[in-house]
Every structure is written in structure tokens, then in C-alpha cells.
Amino acid sequence: MDMIQKDIWKTLEYGYFDAVCIITNGEVSEGSATMKTYTATYIKDMFPTIDSILGDYLSRYGIRVFKLGIIKSKEDINVHIVSFPSKYYNKDKSNIQLIYHSYKELIELMNKNKWYKVLLPIPIEEDDPITEADLFSLLYPIYDKRIQLIKHK
């Protein structure tokens, strides 16, 4: 599996990606999704209603991968924003079964939308019991080379 270590947002600004995933959970409070990860917070600053959109989808359809909106890259390319749930509640640790399920749903969404390059931040946090080695072992059997894993630095 291929992983790069770069600034996620600079990579997105100058690289060509059909979509970028933001790491999310399934928690909804007062109609809005709880968005506390680095990627979710950054996107929320760029797209202030995204927590309400995701909260609505979570309330209607449950926890899953969703296409949430579009931002423009510096190259004036439409980049879709996609939720990628890695845990059920904000305070939880990442859940390896949910990550696996989300990865499979992401592949389905890519196929449906004919996306050829998607940026996926590593969906685990430093204090998680899941290691990068665990993550790679889990995803290797269903690895899709169209998905670029990235670790923010």
C-alpha cells in the first residue's frame, strides 16, 4: 500500500484529486455532526454548513460514507468532499471494523461517480490502539490504488 506524508491541504491544492475524505464519526448534536478531527475542522472552516449537512445525512441514513459537497482547488478543479467514518462517537477510539466498512463504501462511491483519484487521510489517531501496520493489514485485501493514503505532517 502506498502512503505519502505531506500537508494534506497543500497536496489537495496542487494535486489532482476527484475527492478528499474527511475523517468523521456518527455523533449528531442539535442537528449537526460532531466534527472534531483535523480534517473535519479544516473543511468546516472552508464550508461552514457541512456539519449540518452531515448531521442531516447521519440522522436520516445512519453512519456511512457520504458525498457532502464540492470545493475548488487552486487549479480550479472541482474536488468532492466525502465523509469517512472511523468511529461511532467523537470520544471513542477508531473502530477497525467501521474503517474497513467505510473503505468498501468509498470504493463503491468512487465506482458510482467514476472517480479515479481520492485523497484519504490515515483514519486513525495517535492515541488509538490501532496501528498503521494494523490498518495496512486490514485494507490490503481490498486495497484500491485509486485511493491515496496520506499522513498529515
Side-chain angles (χ1 to χ4, degrees):
M1 293 186 75
D2 186 32
M3 179 182 71
I4 56 175
Q5 290 190 0
K6 293 184 177 179
D7 181 289
I8 294 167
W9 308 113
K10 286 187 179 167
T11 302
L12 184 63
E13 287 175 359
Y14 296 104
Y16 173 77
F17 292 92
D18 296 301
V20 60
C21 294
I22 56 172
I23 307 306
T24 60
N25 61 71
E27 193 170 335
V28 178
S29 176
E30 298 178 15
S32 294
T34 304
M35 300 178 70
K36 301 288 185 185
T37 65
Y38 172 75
T39 54
T41 303
Y42 188 91
I43 287 289
K44 189 176 170 190
D45 289 342
M46 295 171 57
F47 196 144
T49 60
I50 200 162
D51 57 339
S52 297
I53 294 168
L54 180 55
D56 180 53
Y57 288 170
L58 289 168
S59 297
R60 287 173 162 194
Y61 308 110
I63 190 168
R64 58 171 293 120
V65 170
F66 294 109
K67 187 166 58 167
L68 301 173
I70 295 174
I71 56 175
K72 290 271 191 190
S73 73
K74 286 197 175 185
E75 302 295 323
D76 202 35
I77 296 169
N78 287 339
V79 179
H80 296 269
I81 304 167
V82 176
S83 65
F84 189 95
S86 67
K87 54 187 173 179
Y88 292 96
Y89 296 97
N90 186 54
K91 293 181 182 176
D92 290 350
K93 301 292 184 194
S94 295
N95 181 292
I96 201 143
Q97 289 86 14
L98 182 57
I99 292 170
Y100 182 82
H101 186 72
S102 295
Y103 194 86
K104 287 176 67 174
E105 285 184 342
L106 178 59
I107 293 169
E108 290 173 14
L109 188 63
M110 290 173 66
N111 291 339
K112 180 181 176 184
N113 289 282
K114 295 180 174 57
W115 293 340
Y116 297 100
K117 198 167 183 185
V118 172
L119 192 61
L120 173 61
I122 295 292
I124 55 176
E125 297 175 12
E126 287 184 18
D127 63 343
D128 277 336
I130 303 167
T131 66
E132 286 179 16
D134 295 335
L135 179 69
F136 295 156
S137 294
L138 172 77
L139 298 179
Y140 184 76
I142 59 169
Y143 172 67
D144 190 313
K145 66 182 180 182
R146 299 174 297 168
I147 299 172
Q148 175 64 67
L149 291 169
I150 187 167
K151 184 174 185 177
H152 182 76
K153 74 172 201 174

